[in-house]
Amino acid sequence: MQTRTLGTTGPQTSALGLGCMGMSALYGDADRAESLATVHAALEADVTLLDTGDFYGMGHNELLINEALRTAPAAAREKALISVKFGALRTVEGGFSGYDGRPAAVKNFAAYSLQRLGTDHIDIYRIARVDPDVPIEETIGAIAELVEAGHVRHIGLSEVGAETLRRAAAVAPISDLQIEYSLLSRGIEEAILPTARELGIGITAYGVLSRGLISGHFARDRKLAANDFRGMSPRFQGENLDRNLDLVDALRKIADEKGITVAQTAIAWVLSRGEDIVPLVGARRRDRLTEALGALDVTLTPTDLTAIEQAVPAGAAAGDRYPTSQMAHLDSER
């Protein structure tokens, strides 16, 4: 397994991480046994970074990771790094009702996560979205106190803009920024990525397959389940979906010429953007994980990269990456 380091202060991790959200929420029903088997397969392949959130299935995902680690070989457990997002407030019905970044809340969230995960520390801890009512300095300061107490090893951020990144880094060392980055979502390239690099902060890129849209497996006539949030995502709607899948068809031609899959092409593109970027793949099944890991063996030549750029130019995606109400929560989009 290739390795990369998260920024100048973060841990060394596998070049690909496993995003576990879909095993518990937001992508329709998941097979628990297959989810556990997929985590085990990732660990066997030396994927060390497991990404979760305390609000994924309202704790379900953390409990799932707990079970996966408890039933994995000891050597695999010891190598695993757990990245946790916190702060999202949920309703009984499963809705979202805001974010809480108050210092007391930060420590409360951490206490619950440690219990659910069955561990004495969290490797990387980050607020999922900036709480507009709490200065980022206060939130980061609270996590820094958890680091000092030994409950957290590294501080991360999620979906913040360049200015917030600077303010946070002035309080305590930041290992990485978790943010969407893919062929269809390249907004970080203008200001956020250069700022992160200036500050020595790594990037853990989620949504590298745009939630399956550019995986090569999403059919134009696919019917999404009622509990699959992509049914409300602008990029999966009507003409937007058709235009985006046209981009996938163009990408498929390049992939076919190289003898690889569309997903491997898209993941390899993110990997090619810099050694400071660790893509998170949201595989829920072992076959999808195996396909994603194959991207590590792909070398994109300058000619390949030019062809990909022509097939899927920056800004070519049709539709926003979240519904309007959720876009309003993104500090990274301001």
Side-chain angles (χ1 to χ4, degrees):
M1 171 59 68
Q2 302 167 28
T3 60
R4 294 186 172 185
T5 301
L6 295 181
T8 56
T9 65
Q12 185 181 76
T13 180
S14 49
L16 286 181
L18 181 64
C20 300
M21 180 187 76
M23 299 176 181
S24 296
L26 300 178
Y27 286 117
D29 295 336
D31 183 314
R32 184 180 185 85
E34 182 61 25
S35 295
L36 291 169
T38 301
V39 176
H40 287 161
L43 294 170
E44 284 180 22
D46 288 328
V47 173
T48 58
L49 182 61
L50 304 178
D51 183 75
T52 185
D54 64 8
F55 52 95
Y56 292 166
M58 281 76 93
H60 179 278
N61 205 239
E62 290 179 320
L63 292 170
L64 185 76
I65 289 175
N66 180 335
E67 182 177 351
L69 292 177
R70 279 191 294 104
T71 53
R77 288 200 306 273
E78 291 169 4
K79 290 187 293 185
L81 299 170
I82 304 176
S83 169
V84 178
K85 289 180 291 297
F86 69 89
L89 304 177
R90 305 294 303 271
T91 66
V92 173
E93 294 75 22
F96 288 84
S97 56
Y99 298 90
D100 193 346
R102 294 171 302 147
V106 171
K107 295 174 182 179
N108 179 76
F109 288 131
Y112 279 72
S113 284
L114 289 167
Q115 178 68 26
R116 285 189 292 260
L117 290 166
T119 182
D120 62 356
H121 72 274
I122 296 167
D123 294 288
I124 311 170
Y125 203 46
R126 69 186 87 240
I127 189 164
R129 300 287 186 269
V130 173
D131 181 345
D133 298 323
V134 178
I136 193 64
E137 290 85 353
E138 293 184 16
T139 301
I140 296 299
I143 306 177
E145 291 179 5
L146 290 171
V147 172
E148 185 175 354
H151 303 310
V152 169
R153 295 281 170 83
H154 302 280
I155 304 173
L157 286 165
S158 176
E159 286 290 353
V160 305
E163 179 185 352
T164 303
L165 199 57
R166 290 188 186 279
R167 289 169 54 196
V171 176
I174 306 297
S175 66
D176 66 303
L177 167 64
Q178 188 173 121
I179 195 163
E180 186 167 353
Y181 189 36
S182 72
L183 279 166
L184 294 191
S185 298
R186 296 177 59 175
I188 72 169
E189 293 177 344
E190 182 177 350
I192 295 173
L193 182 55
T195 300
R197 285 176 168 161
E198 175 192 337
L199 298 171
I201 296 171
I203 299 290
T204 39
Y206 75 88
V208 294
L209 296 179
S210 297
R211 299 166 180 82
L213 186 56
I214 56 173
S215 67
H217 301 296
F218 199 93
R220 292 178 186 268
D221 59 352
R222 180 172 174 177
K223 301 299 181 184
L224 294 169
N227 58 347
D228 189 326
F229 92 106
R230 290 174 293 186
M232 298 182 293
S233 172
R235 290 185 177 173
F236 288 82
Q237 305 300 314
E239 292 184 1
N240 286 349
L241 177 62
D242 286 333
R243 287 169 57 192
N244 290 329
L245 289 180
D246 286 343
L247 298 175
V248 176
D249 289 340
L251 192 62
R252 193 186 306 277
K253 294 178 182 178
I254 299 168
D256 288 345
E257 289 178 2
K258 288 189 69 68
I260 60 177
T261 70
V262 175
Q264 288 168 344
T265 307
I267 296 168
W269 181 87
V270 178
L271 283 165
S272 77
R273 308 312 284 177
E275 290 290 321
D276 53 350
I277 298 173
V278 175
L280 300 171
V281 294
R284 299 193 293 174
R285 294 172 8 203
R286 285 167 286 181
D287 59 337
R288 294 287 193 254
L289 174 66
T290 299
E291 180 184 21
L293 291 173
L296 293 168
D297 298 322
V298 175
T299 299
L300 296 176
T301 67
T303 300
D304 294 331
L305 292 171
T306 298
I308 291 170
E309 189 74 31
Q310 291 173 346
V312 189
D320 287 333
R321 54 197 182 101
Y322 287 104
T324 301
S325 60
Q326 294 182 35
M327 289 292 288
H329 290 294
L330 298 179
D331 182 79
S332 54
E333 295 291 328
R334 297 194 178 111

